Amino acid sequence: MTRLRQLAAKSRAWLETTAPPEQAALRDLGLWLCREIVRPSGSLPNDATSGLTALPPPVALPDLSRRDLLDLAQAIALSDGSVWQEQGFNSSCWSRVLGASALSYARSGDVAVVAAIVRAAARMGLDGPWLTDAQNHLMDLQQPDGSFGLLAAELAQLNDEDSTAEVMLRLTVEVLWTLAEVANVRADRR
Amino acid sequence: MSAAGRSLDWLDGHIERFAPLRNGLVDEFGLKAFAEFALIYAYLHQWDHLPFRNRLPKWKAFLAAQCERPAFVQTPRKQPAVAVGYLIPYLMLRSTGYRFAYHEDTLGRLERWNLLRSVELVPYRVLEREHAFWKSGWLPTEPDWRSLFDATTLGRPPSPLGFDDEASYSVTHTLFYLTDFGNRRPTLSASEMEQTVDLVECLLVHYWRIGHWDLVGELLVNLNCLGRSSLSPIRSAAAHAYMSAWGHDGAVPAKRGMGDGDGSNAATPEDRFRLCYHSTLVAVLYFATAMSAAQPGGTEPLR
């Protein structure tokens, strides 16, 4: 937890000093997530009507498009968990497929998908060596200023300060949400 | 007809394109394709599985004829520093009992000149070279597989996150030679075996997701060769996805979107051959190693 707290403190400082005022709502969400990482309260979104009524077989995931995988991960992360608490849920296979998929997207540099997958896996209470690698990868993406992502080259192409700030903020909040989910799961287990 | 039968038909129909000589000279692409074809032939010959048996006389006649062409025979002596690369196809044929005096003499000369191991190679290529010398019978005793393995990426594996395509090919080739394509149990502890299977399955998910069928095929061959009798859900589903990538004509595209379908969208037949030949050889190997693994004794020595 110490590392998660350190990451949260750094991100909080970046959000307070750097995030653009016109993105105040997103910045405030980021600051709230930083507090959740430091003191998990179990109050992350939990919605029985998230739209998730059934899970596909885990081995269907590699064939999903990026968009479909993001939608599924999002629905899982917002779900109340009733779907996978049913009998027959193969947690080992889900853990392996989600972990391998997260590392696969990490190799492609797609941080948003890695964050979404790790968040979904945490919500499902899954762990495993590949998911741990993916979590560590996300944490390693924090920059010295507290933001997340390795986007300097891409953002330089944008040449637009406002867009750059928004992209960095969105990605940082995505990762913070995932780390808050991880922190909540760890707190539940203690 | 089965997918394997269609792939064999496709290879048969393109056999002349495996010739190492183009315009009378040994061509780098031609040499690579020829060496890989010779390797597949050598293993199919050794295993003698029924579905492949009637294809082999034609393949042997082609390989021997190419190996004996004067322009091919002389090339290793013209370029002694890199001669072993030219001799790999012959070494594979040699493993089946075939001998050709001129190549034998060339090997002897290279040994006397200390040129058999003169080229510096990355560790998995060293394993490949030593495997070729041993498989051909040129080495009288087995190499120290364990120390050769320890020098490779797989011998000290990083997180799966650290694997690019080159590192993944290093893994697949290391396992090919370490297991002698399923003929030999690898010299790995139980925990190393678990780690290896885990890594292969993790890479399998990645290459399946991005539709890199050449590496999907090689990784599935690795799992066949590692002798796991039970199919994990990942392995089973990846194999299903792999089979669905097969072209109608039996060719397997290297990557999703490259030469898919019946090939009518490829610029020329030679283009399609270049896109598909390696993955199609791997596909044949996938079927053959699955048959070997299913035999009583699994990966016990078949020699």
Side-chain angles (χ1 to χ4, degrees), chain B residues 18-34:
Chain B
F18 283 101
L21 293 166
R22 309 278 161 113
N23 300 318
L25 296 172
V26 178
D27 163 271
E28 187 179 339
F29 170 82
L31 177 64
K32 180 174 178 292
F34 184 57

mmCIF file of all heavy atoms in Angstrom, chain B residues 18-34:
data_model
loop_
_atom_site.group_PDB
_atom_site.id
_atom_site.type_symbol
_atom_site.label_atom_id
_atom_site.label_comp_id
_atom_site.label_asym_id
_atom_site.label_seq_id
_atom_site.Cartn_x
_atom_site.Cartn_y
_atom_site.Cartn_z
ATOM 1 N N PHE B 18 10.298 -23.244 -53.536
ATOM 2 C CA PHE B 18 11.221 -23.464 -52.422
ATOM 3 C C PHE B 18 12.673 -23.617 -52.899
ATOM 4 O O PHE B 18 13.557 -23.824 -52.078
ATOM 5 C CB PHE B 18 10.814 -24.706 -51.629
ATOM 6 C CG PHE B 18 9.637 -24.483 -50.714
ATOM 7 C CD1 PHE B 18 8.365 -24.897 -51.078
ATOM 8 C CD2 PHE B 18 9.800 -23.845 -49.492
ATOM 9 C CE1 PHE B 18 7.272 -24.687 -50.245
ATOM 10 C CE2 PHE B 18 8.716 -23.630 -48.653
ATOM 11 C CZ PHE B 18 7.447 -24.047 -49.028
ATOM 12 N N ALA B 19 12.905 -23.508 -54.186
ATOM 13 C CA ALA B 19 14.270 -23.673 -54.697
ATOM 14 C C ALA B 19 15.172 -22.555 -54.179
ATOM 15 O O ALA B 19 14.761 -21.394 -54.157
ATOM 16 C CB ALA B 19 14.243 -23.670 -56.218
ATOM 17 N N PRO B 20 16.380 -22.887 -53.763
ATOM 18 C CA PRO B 20 17.268 -21.856 -53.201
ATOM 19 C C PRO B 20 17.918 -20.960 -54.256
ATOM 20 O O PRO B 20 18.394 -19.884 -53.933
ATOM 21 C CB PRO B 20 18.335 -22.675 -52.473
ATOM 22 C CG PRO B 20 18.372 -23.986 -53.210
ATOM 23 C CD PRO B 20 16.974 -24.229 -53.691
ATOM 24 N N LEU B 21 17.942 -21.439 -55.483
ATOM 25 C CA LEU B 21 18.609 -20.665 -56.547
ATOM 26 C C LEU B 21 17.585 -19.832 -57.308
ATOM 27 O O LEU B 21 16.547 -20.333 -57.717
ATOM 28 C CB LEU B 21 19.321 -21.602 -57.521
ATOM 29 C CG LEU B 21 20.511 -22.379 -56.950
ATOM 30 C CD1 LEU B 21 20.911 -23.506 -57.890
ATOM 31 C CD2 LEU B 21 21.700 -21.467 -56.695
ATOM 32 N N ARG B 22 17.885 -18.562 -57.450
ATOM 33 C CA ARG B 22 17.073 -17.658 -58.282
ATOM 34 C C ARG B 22 18.025 -17.037 -59.290
ATOM 35 O O ARG B 22 19.044 -16.459 -58.879
ATOM 36 C CB ARG B 22 16.422 -16.542 -57.454
ATOM 37 C CG ARG B 22 15.657 -17.035 -56.224
ATOM 38 C CD ARG B 22 14.271 -17.506 -56.585
ATOM 39 N NE ARG B 22 13.714 -18.374 -55.559
ATOM 40 C CZ ARG B 22 12.670 -18.063 -54.788
ATOM 41 N NH1 ARG B 22 12.073 -16.923 -54.920
ATOM 42 N NH2 ARG B 22 12.226 -18.932 -53.899
ATOM 43 N N ASN B 23 17.676 -17.163 -60.545
ATOM 44 C CA ASN B 23 18.546 -16.660 -61.614
ATOM 45 C C ASN B 23 19.961 -17.225 -61.486
ATOM 46 O O ASN B 23 20.945 -16.523 -61.707
ATOM 47 C CB ASN B 23 18.584 -15.129 -61.610
ATOM 48 C CG ASN B 23 17.197 -14.536 -61.816
ATOM 49 O OD1 ASN B 23 16.425 -15.021 -62.646
ATOM 50 N ND2 ASN B 23 16.877 -13.522 -61.038
ATOM 51 N N GLY B 24 20.046 -18.465 -61.074
ATOM 52 C CA GLY B 24 21.332 -19.144 -61.043
ATOM 53 C C GLY B 24 22.168 -18.893 -59.805
ATOM 54 O O GLY B 24 23.231 -19.488 -59.644
ATOM 55 N N LEU B 25 21.703 -18.008 -58.918
ATOM 56 C CA LEU B 25 22.475 -17.711 -57.707
ATOM 57 C C LEU B 25 21.657 -18.034 -56.470
ATOM 58 O O LEU B 25 20.424 -17.999 -56.504
ATOM 59 C CB LEU B 25 22.854 -16.225 -57.665
ATOM 60 C CG LEU B 25 23.789 -15.739 -58.770
ATOM 61 C CD1 LEU B 25 23.914 -14.214 -58.723
ATOM 62 C CD2 LEU B 25 25.171 -16.387 -58.622
ATOM 63 N N VAL B 26 22.366 -18.330 -55.361
ATOM 64 C CA VAL B 26 21.645 -18.586 -54.117
ATOM 65 C C VAL B 26 21.111 -17.260 -53.600
ATOM 66 O O VAL B 26 21.856 -16.311 -53.387
ATOM 67 C CB VAL B 26 22.553 -19.245 -53.057
ATOM 68 C CG1 VAL B 26 21.771 -19.457 -51.764
ATOM 69 C CG2 VAL B 26 23.091 -20.575 -53.571
ATOM 70 N N ASP B 27 19.804 -17.239 -53.414
ATOM 71 C CA ASP B 27 19.109 -16.029 -53.012
ATOM 72 C C ASP B 27 18.772 -16.154 -51.519
ATOM 73 O O ASP B 27 18.430 -17.242 -51.053
ATOM 74 C CB ASP B 27 17.843 -15.966 -53.886
ATOM 75 C CG ASP B 27 16.791 -15.039 -53.379
ATOM 76 O OD1 ASP B 27 15.932 -15.478 -52.587
ATOM 77 O OD2 ASP B 27 16.811 -13.883 -53.798
ATOM 78 N N GLU B 28 18.889 -15.071 -50.768
ATOM 79 C CA GLU B 28 18.726 -15.136 -49.309
ATOM 80 C C GLU B 28 17.328 -15.658 -48.936
ATOM 81 O O GLU B 28 17.193 -16.539 -48.075
ATOM 82 C CB GLU B 28 18.940 -13.757 -48.702
ATOM 83 C CG GLU B 28 18.958 -13.789 -47.182
ATOM 84 C CD GLU B 28 19.199 -12.405 -46.583
ATOM 85 O OE1 GLU B 28 19.731 -11.534 -47.279
ATOM 86 O OE2 GLU B 28 18.815 -12.227 -45.411
ATOM 87 N N PHE B 29 16.295 -15.122 -49.592
ATOM 88 C CA PHE B 29 14.944 -15.597 -49.293
ATOM 89 C C PHE B 29 14.805 -17.077 -49.679
ATOM 90 O O PHE B 29 14.263 -17.891 -48.921
ATOM 91 C CB PHE B 29 13.895 -14.772 -50.047
ATOM 92 C CG PHE B 29 12.519 -15.373 -49.968
ATOM 93 C CD1 PHE B 29 11.722 -15.166 -48.854
ATOM 94 C CD2 PHE B 29 12.028 -16.186 -50.994
ATOM 95 C CE1 PHE B 29 10.467 -15.744 -48.759
ATOM 96 C CE2 PHE B 29 10.775 -16.762 -50.897
ATOM 97 C CZ PHE B 29 9.993 -16.545 -49.782
ATOM 98 N N GLY B 30 15.329 -17.408 -50.855
ATOM 99 C CA GLY B 30 15.225 -18.791 -51.331
ATOM 100 C C GLY B 30 15.926 -19.765 -50.404
ATOM 101 O O GLY B 30 15.408 -20.863 -50.127
ATOM 102 N N LEU B 31 17.091 -19.368 -49.903
ATOM 103 C CA LEU B 31 17.843 -20.243 -49.006
ATOM 104 C C LEU B 31 17.065 -20.484 -47.708
ATOM 105 O O LEU B 31 16.990 -21.612 -47.214
ATOM 106 C CB LEU B 31 19.205 -19.623 -48.684
ATOM 107 C CG LEU B 31 20.053 -20.410 -47.691
ATOM 108 C CD1 LEU B 31 20.445 -21.776 -48.262
ATOM 109 C CD2 LEU B 31 21.305 -19.626 -47.300
ATOM 110 N N LYS B 32 16.469 -19.416 -47.175
ATOM 111 C CA LYS B 32 15.705 -19.536 -45.927
ATOM 112 C C LYS B 32 14.510 -20.485 -46.134
ATOM 113 O O LYS B 32 14.289 -21.401 -45.330
ATOM 114 C CB LYS B 32 15.219 -18.148 -45.493
ATOM 115 C CG LYS B 32 14.411 -18.121 -44.219
ATOM 116 C CD LYS B 32 14.127 -16.680 -43.815
ATOM 117 C CE LYS B 32 13.272 -16.602 -42.552
ATOM 118 N NZ LYS B 32 11.900 -17.087 -42.723
ATOM 119 N N ALA B 33 13.762 -20.257 -47.202
ATOM 120 C CA ALA B 33 12.588 -21.090 -47.461
ATOM 121 C C ALA B 33 13.010 -22.551 -47.682
ATOM 122 O O ALA B 33 12.355 -23.484 -47.193
ATOM 123 C CB ALA B 33 11.829 -20.561 -48.676
ATOM 124 N N PHE B 34 14.104 -22.741 -48.413
ATOM 125 C CA PHE B 34 14.593 -24.089 -48.712
ATOM 126 C C PHE B 34 15.014 -24.804 -47.420
ATOM 127 O O PHE B 34 14.675 -25.980 -47.206
ATOM 128 C CB PHE B 34 15.773 -23.980 -49.679
ATOM 129 C CG PHE B 34 16.315 -25.294 -50.143
ATOM 130 C CD1 PHE B 34 15.499 -26.224 -50.781
ATOM 131 C CD2 PHE B 34 17.656 -25.609 -49.973
ATOM 132 C CE1 PHE B 34 16.006 -27.440 -51.222
ATOM 133 C CE2 PHE B 34 18.173 -26.814 -50.418
ATOM 134 C CZ PHE B 34 17.344 -27.734 -51.040
#
